[in-house]
Amino acid sequence: MAEASAHDDFYVRYYVGHRGQFGHEFMEYELSPSGRLRYANNSNYKHDTMIRKELFLSPAVVEETRRVIEDSGITRVDDSNWKEPDRESRRQELEIKIGNEHIAFTCAEIGSLLDVQKSADPEGLRLFYYLTQDLKCLVFSLISLHFKIKPIP
C-alpha cells in the first residue's frame, strides 16, 4: 500500500499553444497519479485533425518521471520575471504536483536558448526549458513505443 500512496501525490501537465489564423493550435500532455498519460495535439493547418493518445505507464516509469522533475530543481524556481504571453503569442504552461507542493508556470513560448539567455531570469528559465524538452522527449518516446505497429523483435 505504501507504493500506491507514493504515486497518489504526483501529477504533471504541460501545454504549449496559441489561437491564430487556423484556430486553437496546441500540444498538451498530462500524467496523472494512476499512471495514465494523455496526449493531445491539435493543428488545423491544411485541415489536420486532432491527435489524441492515451496510455497507462508502469509505476517504475511514473517514479522515474517524478525523479527527473525533482532532480531538475524546478520546484525552487520563480516565474515572476519570465516574459508573460500576450494574446498574439504562443504560451507555455507547466503544472506539477509533488507531495504537498503544487506549482504552475506560465510564460511566452521559448523559441531557442537565445530567448532564455536574453530573459530577466536566465537560470530559472533555463531549468524550465531543459525540463520541458526532456519531458516532451520522454512523452514522445513512450507514445511511439506504445503505438508501434511493428513490434521490436
Side-chain angles (χ1 to χ4, degrees), residues 15 17-26 42-45 90:
Y15 165 91
H18 75 286
R19 294 185 189 278
Q21 86 180 68
F22 299 109
H24 186 198
E25 297 183 296
F26 66 92
N42 188 42
S43 172
N44 295 321
Y45 180 70
R90 295 176 65 93

Side-chain angles (χ1 to χ4, degrees), residues 63-135:
E63 195 56 40
E64 182 62 16
T65 305
R66 179 184 179 136
R67 186 198 62 76
V68 166
I69 291 171
E70 287 175 332
D71 288 354
S72 75
I74 195 72
T75 57
R76 296 182 300 275
V77 171
D78 179 10
D79 67 348
S80 61
N81 291 326
W82 296 358
K83 183 179 175 191
E84 290 285 326
D86 56 29
R87 293 190 51 76
E88 286 80 39
S89 68
R90 295 176 65 93
R91 69 186 296 122
Q92 286 183 235
E93 300 172 0
L94 179 65
E95 180 182 4
I96 300 169
K97 182 178 185 309
I98 297 180
N100 294 330
E101 205 166 7
H102 189 178
I103 55 175
F105 299 102
T106 302
C107 67
E109 183 181 35
I110 303 167
S112 69
L113 278 175
L114 188 59
D115 296 339
V116 171
Q117 293 167 349
K118 290 180 179 179
S119 75
D121 177 20
E123 188 56 39
L125 204 54
R126 185 177 296 111
L127 284 173
F128 177 82
Y129 176 79
Y130 283 124
L131 177 62
T132 57
Q133 294 298 315
D134 289 347
L135 292 175

